Amino acid sequence: MIARPGAGPLRRLAVLRHAKSAWPDGVPDHERPLAPRGRRDAPAAGRALADADCLPDLALCSTAVRARRTWELAAAEWGTPPPVRHDARLYAADVPELLEAVRGVPAEVGTLLLVGHNPGLEELVLTLAGDGLGDALDAVRVKFPTSAIAILAWHGADWTALGPRTALLTDMMVPRGKKPGGGKTGKEHPGPR
């Protein structure tokens, strides 16, 4: 990505879909906990963000239990986690609601982590990405599974300048934790988002 003169500093938005959740009987959707696989995958997401040198200055996280727990387990992998704002608007949010939350981030934040839900997160990434490196954009179009991370880069004086097709999708990854005994987890099965 080539910066235009006066376009502002490089900014990054890391979009993390919550880890795999459980579906216990009688538990409202907002209160669903992480499944065992989710509890393994969330720390792997934290390690993947560190390995990608994409630790956030601030995190915006849905208030849903599965998103909050994903954040806690991912951030526990870092020496000093950044501040987090739990935002009720991010639960079941669509693209305009997600953009409203992101555009309210202070200008001094260079890297932002957004922890939430599908289909909103997948649609946000596809809306913001004007292009992608390698096959990252195609990978998001195929599937944005639980624990998936998309990293978008763009230049802007502040977060209000972020809009459709203004960012470059630099990476898309799906970190997975190891099952007890050292085996890798299986492929994700289609199901509720």
Side-chain angles (χ1 to χ4, degrees):
M1 176 170 45
I2 298 173
R4 297 181 313 275
L10 176 67
R11 297 181 183 278
R12 293 182 301 170
L13 173 63
V15 177
L16 169 60
R17 183 177 173 198
H18 67 78
K20 184 74 174 172
S21 59
W23 292 86
D25 289 337
V27 175
D29 184 73
H30 189 273
E31 304 306 311
R32 288 193 296 115
L34 291 181
R37 190 179 87 201
R39 291 191 301 272
R40 292 189 305 267
D41 292 349
R47 292 188 297 273
L49 285 165
D51 291 346
D53 196 24
C54 193
L55 294 182
D57 302 312
L58 174 70
L60 297 180
C61 183
S62 163
T63 55
V65 169
R66 59 194 181 273
R68 289 190 341 245
R69 190 67 179 132
T70 298
W71 156 252
E72 291 164 359
L73 291 170
E77 296 295 313
W78 311 327
T80 305
V84 60
R85 293 183 187 166
H86 294 97
D87 191 331
R89 295 176 298 175
L90 303 180
Y91 174 68
D94 60 15
V95 171
E97 292 165 320
L98 291 167
L99 268 176
E100 180 183 345
V102 169
R103 288 175 175 159
V105 169
E108 60 268 14
V109 173
T111 300
L112 175 67
L113 174 63
L114 183 63
V115 184
H117 312 268
N118 256 6
L121 292 184
E122 178 179 331
E123 293 168 359
L124 178 69
V125 171
L126 294 175
T127 297
L128 296 177
D131 200 358
L133 297 181
D135 63 355
L137 204 48
D138 289 335
V140 174
R141 286 184 184 120
V142 169
K143 188 172 189 179
F144 198 67
T146 55
S147 300
I149 302 169
I151 300 175
L152 296 147
W154 61 286
H155 288 272
D158 59 32
W159 290 90
T160 62
L162 182 60
R165 302 183 58 79
T166 59
L168 175 68
L169 180 62
T170 62
D171 204 350
M172 192 285 203
M173 56 190 127
V174 184
R176 294 292 185 223
K178 294 189 187 275
K179 284 185 177 180
K184 290 195 172 201
T185 60
K187 292 186 177 182
E188 172 145 324
H189 299 285
R193 298 173 155 214

